[in-house]
Amino acid sequence: MTRAKGAAMRRIQAGNALSAFGLGFTVPYLYVYVAQVRELGATTAGVVLAVFAMAALAVLPFTGRVVDRRGPLPVLVGAALLASAGAAGLGLATDVPAAVGSATLLGAGTAVMQPALATMIVWCSDATTRTRAFATQFFLQNLGLGIGGLIGGHLVDESRPSSFTLLFGIEAVMFLVLAGMALTIRLPRPGAPAGARPTAPGGGGGLRALLGHRAMVQLLVLGFVLFFACYGQFESGLAAYGTEAAGIAPATLGTALAANTAVIVAAQFLVLRFVERRSRTKVIASVGLIWAVAWLAAGYAGLGHGGQAMATAAFISTYALFGLGESMLSPTVAPLVADLAPASMVGQYNSAFALVKQLALAVGPAVGGPMGATLHGPYIVTFVLFSLGITALALRLGRRLAPEQDRPWLATSSRVVAVHVPGGEVRPGAPEAPRSPASAGSR
């Protein structure tokens, strides 16, 4: 990585941490703030949370094309300003329209940030650095969320609305700092990732081109299952199952989430050394097996007969095992999205994957919450099967990828070029013939 790219990458990663810190600062307290502090009621609080999520679903289908046409930098700056306005508005909201409108701005702004930041990482990395760059992004996001939540929890006081106004005000300032930091970044011109298609089929782009790329479609399906079976259950189905079936105290839920974050922070770079030289799809397949064990531990916590202490330990272990799997996914899935994308559609591919994630996070609680609260045995069996499905889908995807897409280190040790076949599948071709000086100069 050149010095200019390295400097840009450091600013991008700092931006990742800032955006995560801002979200961790307020989102955990959004329901309490709207329902109790502003006394707008539980129904309004539920609407605000729903609008926060739906705003992301509304803007993400259009984000990628704007990123590819205008570049990720102006998109990131605009999203940060939008999120800042939403945060400031929530801090001052005293009625339903103000709360709903501000939540819409905040949800839309924070949703757009992620594909913009991911595209900036792609532009500033190559096959040798992209895996570590996305692992660092995930590490800093979790660190920012954890620190933000911890500090925010010490600042808020339900008896003083002004403490929440301060909280949202600080969040708004964080997004302004992010926008200012983004304006100092000098992005290099993007290059096509190793093994990726240099252009979309027929030279075009858009949804039709993306859906014609079979490997990407398979990755989107895999991504939905990943997020549905893990993140979509954290604060809904699994929490409901833990309290209803395993008798877990609410305070223990916080401990379990802390264990999840601690494993990610402690294991991320240790795991990175393990996965960097291994097949991406086999790493994802192993995550499915780890999460199947995690769900079996949850099953023991709620359905076993080992006593409350054993149930609590098993339940916390579930979240810790999820964290281990997450730390294995961060260096594999996001870089794979980037390496599958044509050079002209990196933003659209990142936005499509972010949209799938958001859909899974919306559907996951709706399905898992009622099941986890009432259908304890079927709930565990369902998600053990989903986890095993991750393994099957990952291994199937591996058969469709070019060698340097599944094992990116090959891009630096081999001169095999990608051959494009109908349907968007990429297969390895013959070794590239050496160029003569004349032909090299004509390019």
Side-chain angles (χ1 to χ4, degrees):
M1 184 184 294
T2 66
R3 182 176 297 179
K5 282 187 176 182
M9 183 66 78
R10 285 190 291 273
R11 286 179 171 85
I12 293 167
Q13 298 292 21
N16 273 306
L18 280 174
S19 63
F21 177 84
L23 283 176
F25 212 50
T26 59
V27 170
Y29 315 106
L30 191 54
Y31 182 91
V32 172
Y33 171 70
V34 175
Q36 300 177 13
V37 177
R38 293 301 184 186
E39 298 181 347
L40 298 178
T43 301
T44 301
V47 170
V48 166
L49 290 172
V51 164
F52 182 83
M54 293 303 295
L57 295 177
V59 298
L60 282 172
F62 310 100
T63 300
R65 188 173 288 272
V66 178
V67 168
D68 289 328
R69 288 182 175 179
R70 304 295 183 185
L73 188 55
V75 174
L76 176 62
V77 172
L81 294 177
L82 199 66
S84 179
L90 274 171
L92 300 173
T94 56
D95 54 33
V96 174
V100 171
S102 298
T104 302
L105 295 178
L106 181 60
T110 53
V112 171
M113 284 181 200
Q114 295 312 308
L117 284 165
T119 303
M120 292 168 74
I121 289 176
V122 175
W123 283 21
C124 292
S125 62
D126 53 36
T128 62
T129 59
R130 190 164 295 126
T131 296
R132 184 168 291 271
F134 277 103
T136 302
Q137 179 198 34
F138 186 71
F139 171 82
L140 290 175
Q141 283 178 340
N142 278 276
L143 193 62
L145 285 169
I147 293 175
L150 182 64
I151 296 176
H154 284 85
L155 291 178
V156 296
D157 183 348
E158 293 180 28
S159 64
R160 291 190 302 112
S162 61
S163 67
F164 284 86
T165 301
L166 173 64
L167 206 67
F168 284 103
I170 294 174
E171 181 184 29
V173 170
M174 288 295 101
F175 288 129
L176 290 177
V177 172
L178 170 59
M181 181 179 295
L183 291 173
T184 69
I185 298 174
R186 299 183 64 181
L187 288 176
R189 293 182 65 85
R197 298 176 297 169
T199 58
L207 182 62
R208 181 176 297 180
L210 191 150
L211 294 178
H213 190 178
R214 295 177 184 173
M216 184 58 188
V217 171
Q218 287 190 14
L219 182 57
L220 291 175
V221 173
L222 173 59
F224 181 88
V225 177
L226 281 167
F227 293 116
F228 177 78
C230 177
Y231 300 94
Q233 304 307 313
F234 268 10
E235 297 176 4
S236 58
L238 190 54
Y241 170 85
T243 55
E244 296 293 336
I248 300 298
T252 304
L253 292 176
T255 303
L257 287 168
N260 174 267
T261 302
V263 168
I264 292 171
V265 171
Q268 182 62 84
F269 292 102
L270 295 175
V271 167
L272 181 61
R273 295 180 182 179
F274 172 78
V275 305
E276 272 185 316
R277 306 286 293 184
R278 285 169 172 79
S279 159
R280 284 170 169 169
T281 51
K282 289 182 179 177
V283 170
I284 299 171
S286 67
V287 170
L289 298 178
I290 291 171
W291 285 358
V293 174
W295 282 108
L296 290 174
Y300 173 80
L303 306 174
H305 303 283
Q308 191 58 49
M310 292 294 292
T312 300
F315 190 76
I316 293 174
S317 297
T318 298
Y319 278 81
L321 287 169
F322 276 131
L324 177 60
E326 291 172 70
S327 66
M328 296 170 67
L329 289 176
S330 61
T332 52
V333 175
L336 182 54
V337 173
D339 288 353
L340 285 173
S344 61
M345 293 181 64
V346 174
Q348 292 174 71
Y349 274 53
N350 281 322
S351 293
F353 197 78
L355 178 61
V356 165
K357 176 181 178 179
Q358 196 65 37
L359 282 170
L361 294 180
V363 174
V367 174
M371 284 188 69
T374 58
L375 303 173
H376 303 150
Y379 178 69
I380 295 298
V381 171
T382 297
F383 284 96
V384 168
L385 293 176
F386 265 100
S387 299
L388 295 177
I390 291 170
T391 301
L393 289 170
L395 294 176
R396 182 181 179 187
L397 175 63
R399 294 193 290 269
R400 192 172 289 277
L401 299 178
E404 58 269 28
Q405 290 171 338
D406 198 26
R407 299 182 291 279
W409 70 89
L410 294 177
T412 60
S413 58
S414 171
R415 302 189 69 190
V416 174
V417 298
V419 175
H420 308 293
V421 299
E425 186 172 356
V426 184
R427 291 179 181 168
E432 185 180 5
R435 296 181 198 161
S436 66
S439 66
S442 66
R443 287 287 179 108

